[in-house]
Amino acid sequence: MKLTFIIDSIHQLDPCHDTSVALMEAAQILGHEVWVTQANLLSVMEGKAWAILQRVEIVPVPLVEGRWIAANPWYKLSDKCLTSLETMDAVFMRTDPPVNDSYLYATYILDYVDQNKTLMINSPSGIRGANEKMYALQFTNAIPETIVSADKQFIRQFVEAKGATILKPLGNKAGEGILFLQSGDRNFNSIVELSTYQGRVPVMVQTYLPQAKEGDKRIILLNGEPIGALNRLSSGSDFRNNMATGGTVAQTEITPREQEICTQLAAKLRQDGLIFVGIDIIGGYLTEVNVTSPTGIREIDRLDSTQLGHQVMQWVEQTLQLSRLYKGKN
């Protein structure tokens, strides 16, 4: 297969942590061509999506005594070439948030890839329609008590009713801008004014889940099915459990309640073309659905001795084979 990954600059990726690297490495080991580009290198010409691509060769990252050890340099890039994305078997859209104007414009460009010819992971329209905070709201039996608003008084009433809450910007990643907000906080007005840009931008406010002290579970879903999980624990100096804020990771299992949540999501994720997804669960409640560049594969593989990247690539192989077989019969 020929696969393209739309990523942030490859120079910025951490081969020992980033899931994009794990996926590209797995594809290469399985004998496929791996190409990379960035969102700002996408174009539309004659009604088709094109990109400035570079083929990448990755030095596989071995696990040595429980640690990933990367070579330096760990990749080699070819010369750049302008290529139609429809010549690719699959395109992985894995640019990190925030989902700002440039991100949205990239998804509009990717709409001009014929998905009957090229598998899109994830669907550009699916990414646009699935704000990683808001998307969870439709699964009312799975989420904690939640409001979304820019209105200070409405937020105050909710916080006073619940006592302790978590305030989240709708567009950030890796725990950025998440705040603990409780009734009687003398900084309440300033926190809400800053977070909502003086009442112009809505934020999410959720009931604080005390079980967060026991960790924030990340579950990786492939075509709606859970394939691995890890538990993220705060550093102790920060209430957030995100790895990007210094949190640690621990081995975990998927509980029956968490499997039930995955089942609730599965059909909708498939309908929206959201194939590779990471969901966050605290105390049996769904808190986020990550569809842009969900991470966790390196950590799960290290903890569980799995090869999730290979599993994803084998699913892509099988999906494309079935698609071609179906087209051949018709």
Side-chain angles (χ1 to χ4, degrees):
M1 299 187 297
K2 295 174 69 175
L3 308 174
T4 287
F5 288 79
I6 304 168
I7 54 176
D8 296 311
S9 172
I10 194 169
H11 312 289
Q12 299 172 357
L13 299 188
D14 179 354
C16 299
H17 165 68
D18 281 308
T19 287
S20 294
V21 180
L23 293 172
M24 293 189 290
E25 177 188 290
Q28 178 180 289
I29 290 172
L30 292 172
H32 306 303
E33 288 184 22
V34 179
W35 299 77
V36 294
T37 188
Q38 293 173 224
N40 63 315
L41 300 178
L42 305 178
S43 303
V44 175
M45 293 187 293
E46 298 179 350
K48 300 293 181 183
W50 292 64
I52 297 173
L53 301 180
Q54 289 178 280
R55 187 168 179 181
V56 62
E57 294 182 21
I58 293 172
V59 180
V61 181
L63 187 61
V64 180
E65 296 181 353
R67 294 179 58 209
W68 297 109
I69 305 296
N72 186 17
W74 57 271
Y75 66 90
K76 180 181 178 182
L77 293 172
S78 71
D79 292 335
K80 296 178 180 180
C81 61
L82 182 63
T83 306
S84 168
L85 288 176
E86 286 185 8
T87 65
M88 297 289 130
D89 293 291
V91 172
F92 287 76
M93 176 54 167
R94 289 195 51 83
T95 302
D96 278 345
V99 181
N100 52 20
D101 285 349
S102 61
Y103 201 117
L104 289 172
Y105 296 152
T107 68
Y108 289 133
I109 292 173
L110 292 174
D111 282 337
Y112 289 90
V113 178
D114 185 345
Q115 295 191 42
N116 291 314
K117 297 180 179 179
T118 301
L119 179 63
M120 300 296 297
I121 305 170
N122 287 317
S123 161
S125 61
I127 292 173
R128 279 198 305 275
N131 174 276
E132 297 186 326
K133 307 295 191 299
M134 296 287 292
Y135 194 79
L137 296 181
Q138 63 194 294
F139 306 103
T140 53
N141 294 327
I143 62 171
E145 292 185 81
T146 303
I147 64 167
V148 174
S149 180
D151 184 85
K152 186 191 300 182
Q153 187 57 33
F154 187 44
I155 295 171
R156 182 186 294 278
Q157 291 171 356
F158 182 81
V159 172
E160 288 178 351
K162 305 306 171 187
T165 62
I166 298 295
L167 182 150
K168 301 178 180 180
L170 296 179
N172 289 355
K173 64 177 176 63
E176 295 169 353
I178 294 179
L179 300 167
F180 180 81
L181 187 58
Q182 58 186 334
S183 178
D185 192 323
R186 295 176 64 185
N187 294 305
F188 176 89
N189 286 336
S190 293
I191 288 171
V192 174
E193 288 162 6
L194 288 169
S195 298
T196 64
Y197 295 87
Q198 299 291 338
R200 295 191 297 272
V201 177
V203 294
M204 173 175 282
V205 187
Q206 291 183 322
T207 299
Y208 173 70
L209 299 170
Q211 300 95 322
K213 296 175 182 177
E214 301 167 9
D216 181 345
K217 192 171 292 190
R218 162 61 55 86
I219 300 176
I220 300 294
L221 303 180
L222 177 62
N223 197 36
E225 298 293 331
I227 60 172
L230 62 90
N231 197 28
R232 299 171 297 181
L233 300 160
S234 73
S235 62
S237 60
D238 195 318
F239 73 92
R240 297 170 298 178
N241 294 316
N242 306 75
M243 288 181 279
T245 61
T248 59
V249 297
Q251 192 173 30
T252 192
E253 295 181 352
I254 298 173
T255 68
R257 163 64 174 168
E258 291 158 356
Q259 179 62 63
E260 177 189 326
I261 291 172
C262 293
T263 301
Q264 288 184 47
L265 271 64
K268 180 61 175 172
L269 292 174
R270 295 186 189 115
Q271 177 185 323
D272 293 341
L274 298 172
I275 295 167
F276 188 78
V277 169
I279 64 171
D280 296 340
I281 294 180
I282 297 175
Y285 289 97
L286 175 69
T287 59
E288 291 188 24
V289 180
N290 298 271
V291 304
T292 51
S293 57
T295 194
I297 277 187
R298 284 292 197 213
E299 289 74 20
I300 296 170
D301 284 351
R302 175 173 62 82
L303 294 167
D304 292 348
S305 300
T306 51
Q307 290 184 307
L308 296 189
H310 287 69
Q311 190 171 337
V312 172
M313 290 305 145
Q314 288 163 352
W315 181 89
V316 173
E317 291 173 351
Q318 293 165 6
T319 299
L320 291 172
Q321 287 169 0
L322 288 172
S323 175
R324 288 164 183 161
L325 181 63
Y326 175 79
K327 290 172 185 174
K329 289 181 178 180
N330 290 275

